[in-house]
């Protein structure tokens, strides 16, 4: 990929220019694909001429779909490389009598604007990286190490769609760890039920009902909306119970999202969990206490 | 046409047969705290074809604990065991009685 940017003769340049024009024309005729896609098109056109149309389109589609595979990263790389090459070329070509061609391109439905913006975006995305490339490219044809490429790919991915990079910086669901204190010798004070219920977007009553059922105890809520449970419970134990609650009543089974809502259908008295992320709905079982053994003093017969 | 008929042969709303089609016959294993460090394990919803008395006898011997059978109006017969025997009970139910693990629900912390 390095040789393209440097040695082609004027004729070749012209050819490539034409191809590029064709490609852009095609893309404009085909509708208005994503600017990034166009960019890719152009670069690949430059790189491999006509044969690479398909690959270019593939690259475009992948980038448009917003799910860049490792190949996508490679594409990006070539794109940025091409970026550099292209800029040089463009300048050269404009200087060297290709002005009319260039103007024709300009006329074509503001594609140039899109390109410019795309380039701008690209430049923004890979500004540090491209600078690196520039340094590399000038010294040696630019053999990039895999880790650097990987980190670059992830920075770009994070900038564009952070969801895919595993960084859920949007609506975050960080559940605070349960705070359990001993209230006397036989009771446990669960201080942040309210907080946890708010984070989970569930009513505290529902959560408390589940806790009572699951732990087989009873309890009450004090003045500061803290939960007092009968029995001794460690924070670790509470955590496991909470985890079970989340799996059962909070997470969406289809998309694993925690952004859900629990609704009670008044018609059939069933609880339904509707996901706000993917829109799926599923029914959840109501909380049942089940068998409670007789503990302590027996009833007088 | 044939493909469409093929599609018709599959009823997407039919019961898949496996797993959660019968949520009523779950076996619930619960724990209750008693005074001090003492706990109580209850096993609710064992299938009626098993003889609870015999099971209880084996459980008591295996886990070295006492236990008894409680009759509940709604929930039928429930096995009660002293101490936290939840994991051991579920192990016993799956290995000795060949009950599917997905039908067993362990509650409590």
């Amino acid at each position: 990929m390095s040789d393209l940017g440097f040695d082609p003769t004027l004729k070749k340049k012209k050819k490539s220019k034409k191809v590029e024009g064709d490609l852009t024309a095609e893309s404009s005729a085909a509708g208005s694909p994503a600017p990034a896609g166009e960019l890719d098109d152009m670069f690949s056109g430059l790189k491999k001429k006509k044969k690479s149309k398909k690959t270019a389109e593939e690259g475009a589609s992948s980038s448009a779909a917003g799910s860049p595979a490792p190949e996508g990263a490679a594409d990006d790389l070539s794109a940025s490389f091409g970026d550099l090459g292209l800029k040089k070329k463009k300048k050269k070509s404009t200087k060297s009598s290709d002005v009319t061609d260039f103007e024709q391109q300009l006329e074509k439905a503001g594609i140039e604007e899109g390109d410019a913006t795309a380039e701008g975006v690209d430049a923004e995305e890979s500004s540090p990286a491209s600078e690196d490339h520039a340094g590399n490219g000038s010294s040696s044809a630019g053999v990039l190490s895999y880790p650097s490429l990987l980190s670059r790919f992830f920075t770009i991915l994070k900038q564009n769609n952070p969801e895919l990079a595993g960084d859920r910086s949007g609506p975050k669901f960080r559940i605070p760890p349960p705070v359990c204190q001993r209230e006397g010798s036989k009771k446990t004070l669960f201080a942040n039920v309210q907080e946890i219920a708010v984070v989970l977007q569930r009513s505290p009553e529902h959560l408390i009902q589940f806790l009572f059922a699951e732990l087989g105890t009873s309890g009450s809520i004090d003045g500061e909306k803290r939960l007092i449970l009968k029995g001794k419970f460690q924070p670790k134990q509470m955590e496991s119970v909470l985890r079970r609650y989340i799996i059962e009543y909070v997470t969406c089974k289809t998309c694993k999202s925690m952004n859900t809502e629990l609704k009670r259908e008044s018609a059939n008295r069933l609880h339904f969990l509707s996901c706000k992320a993917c829109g799926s709905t599923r029914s959840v079982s109501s909380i049942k206490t089940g068998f409670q053994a007789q503990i302590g003093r027996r009833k007088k017969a | 046409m044939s493909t469409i008929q093929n599609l018709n042969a599959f009823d997407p709303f039919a019961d898949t047969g496996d797993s959660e089609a019968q949520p009523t016959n779950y076996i619930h294993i619960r724990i209750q705290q008693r005074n001090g460090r003492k706990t109580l394990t209850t096993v609710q919803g064992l299938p009626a074809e098993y003889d609870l008395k015999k099971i209880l006898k084996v459980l008591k011997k295996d886990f070295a604990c006492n236990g008894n059978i409680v009759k509940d109006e709604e929930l039928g017969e429930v096995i009660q065991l002293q101490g936290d025997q939840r994991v051991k009970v579920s192990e016993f139910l799956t290995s000795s009685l060949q009950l599917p693990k997905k039908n067993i629900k362990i509650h409590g912390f």
Side-chain angles (χ1 to χ4, degrees):
Chain A
M1 51 175 112
S2 57
D3 57 332
L4 83 130
F6 299 106
D7 71 322
T9 56
L10 202 72
K11 269 189 181 178
K12 263 194 179 174
K13 248 182 236 163
K14 264 190 183 173
K15 257 190 189 172
S16 66
K17 205 67 196 177
K18 270 179 191 172
V19 171
E20 182 194 329
D22 281 355
L23 272 172
T24 47
E26 274 177 17
S27 63
S28 66
S32 61
E38 271 180 304
L39 202 64
D40 261 353
D41 260 5
M42 283 177 67
F43 297 141
S44 48
L46 268 176
K47 202 166 55 183
K48 287 178 186 170
K49 316 267 159 68
K50 280 177 187 173
K51 269 194 179 177
S52 64
K53 259 186 205 171
K54 275 188 182 176
T55 55
E57 273 171 18
E58 278 175 16
S61 64
S62 73
S63 62
S67 63
E71 289 173 39
D75 247 40
D76 255 337
L77 167 75
S78 67
S80 62
F81 257 117
D83 201 357
L84 291 169
L86 182 75
K87 273 177 186 169
K88 280 180 190 170
K89 257 193 185 174
K90 258 191 182 172
K91 279 173 190 171
K92 276 183 191 171
S93 62
T94 43
K95 277 173 190 170
S96 66
S97 83
D98 253 347
V99 187
T100 52
D101 218 343
F102 196 61
E103 276 181 356
Q104 273 183 5
Q105 261 196 324
L106 268 173
E107 280 172 11
K108 267 166 196 165
I111 289 165
E112 199 56 40
E113 278 181 15
D115 280 356
T117 51
E119 268 183 289
V121 170
D122 208 53
E124 274 177 20
E125 280 169 4
S126 59
S127 54
S130 60
E131 277 164 21
D132 284 353
H133 287 315
N136 275 349
S138 58
S139 61
S140 65
V143 184
L144 292 155
S145 65
Y146 177 73
S148 71
L149 282 179
L150 194 67
S151 61
R152 205 174 79 80
F153 164 69
F154 269 102
T155 49
I156 292 169
L157 189 63
K158 246 176 210 171
Q159 274 169 5
N160 288 356
N161 13 4
E163 286 282 315
L164 290 172
D167 179 39
R168 308 244 164 99
S169 55
K172 214 174 245 179
F173 290 104
R174 186 113 324 145
I175 294 140
V179 177
C180 287
Q181 294 152 349
R182 289 288 290 282
E183 169 111 344
S185 62
K186 284 186 178 176
K187 286 175 185 170
T188 309
L189 202 148
F190 188 4
N192 56 352
V193 227
Q194 205 75 20
E195 199 185 329
I196 289 168
V198 166
V199 171
L200 297 177
Q201 298 175 300
R202 285 302 102 92
S203 71
E205 287 80 38
H206 189 260
L207 176 58
I208 289 166
Q209 201 190 343
F210 179 83
L211 288 177
F212 284 167
E214 197 73 352
L215 298 169
T217 53
S218 56
S220 56
I221 302 166
D222 75 352
E224 291 160 61
K225 293 193 172 175
R226 295 178 300 184
L227 180 66
I228 296 167
L229 288 163
K230 270 190 191 168
K232 297 166 195 170
F233 300 102
Q234 309 300 318
K236 209 175 162 190
Q237 297 170 333
M238 296 305 298
E239 208 179 298
S240 71
V241 177
L242 274 177
R243 197 161 283 146
R244 219 173 300 155
Y245 176 81
I246 289 163
I247 288 164
E248 194 145 357
Y249 291 101
V250 182
T251 48
C252 171
K253 283 278 195 296
T254 29
C255 70
K256 303 277 195 303
S257 165
M258 303 242 299
N259 193 5
T260 55
E261 200 176 10
L262 192 68
K263 280 187 208 147
R264 187 176 177 273
E265 210 102 317
S266 54
N268 45 14
R269 291 196 221 161
L270 290 171
H271 287 277
F272 282 96
L273 194 74
S274 66
C275 180
K276 286 178 187 170
C278 69
S280 74
T281 318
R282 74 180 170 104
S283 66
V284 291
S285 56
S286 59
I287 298 167
K288 283 187 205 119
T289 315
F291 176 74
Q292 287 296 108
Q294 175 71 44
I295 286 170
R297 270 193 307 148
R298 273 165 221 167
K299 279 175 256 171
K300 277 168 193 166
Chain B
M1 255 333 260
S2 63
T3 53
I4 294 167
Q5 276 170 345
N6 270 347
L7 273 179
N8 283 346
F10 172 69
D11 182 9
F13 295 104
D15 276 340
T16 45
D18 57 356
S19 76
E20 299 166 40
Q22 333 89 330
T24 44
N25 63 358
Y26 273 129
I27 298 162
H28 297 275
I29 302 173
R30 293 199 176 79
I31 190 162
Q32 276 183 276
Q33 287 194 339
R34 288 177 59 220
N35 38 358
R37 279 168 56 90
K38 291 170 185 169
T39 49
L40 200 72
T41 308
T42 60
V43 184
Q44 173 202 323
L46 279 172
E49 61 259 32
Y50 294 111
D51 188 351
L52 285 197
K53 263 189 177 174
K54 281 184 180 165
I55 290 174
L56 181 68
K57 205 158 203 174
V58 177
L59 289 183
K60 279 163 73 171
K61 190 152 194 175
D62 281 4
F63 307 154
C65 67
N66 204 355
N68 68 335
I69 295 167
V70 183
K71 288 190 183 70
D72 193 274
E73 289 100 36
E74 294 148 37
L75 306 165
E77 294 189 321
V78 180
I79 292 182
Q80 260 187 34
L81 296 165
Q82 285 179 5
D84 184 359
Q85 319 286 357
R86 289 174 296 163
V87 182
K88 286 192 237 168
V89 168
S90 87
E91 226 163 70
F92 173 83
L93 294 181
T94 47
S95 60
S96 304
L97 299 185
Q98 309 297 336
L99 288 166
K101 201 162 192 179
K102 60 178 178 253
N103 282 5
I104 300 170
K105 270 198 171 177
I106 298 179
H107 298 264
F109 36 81

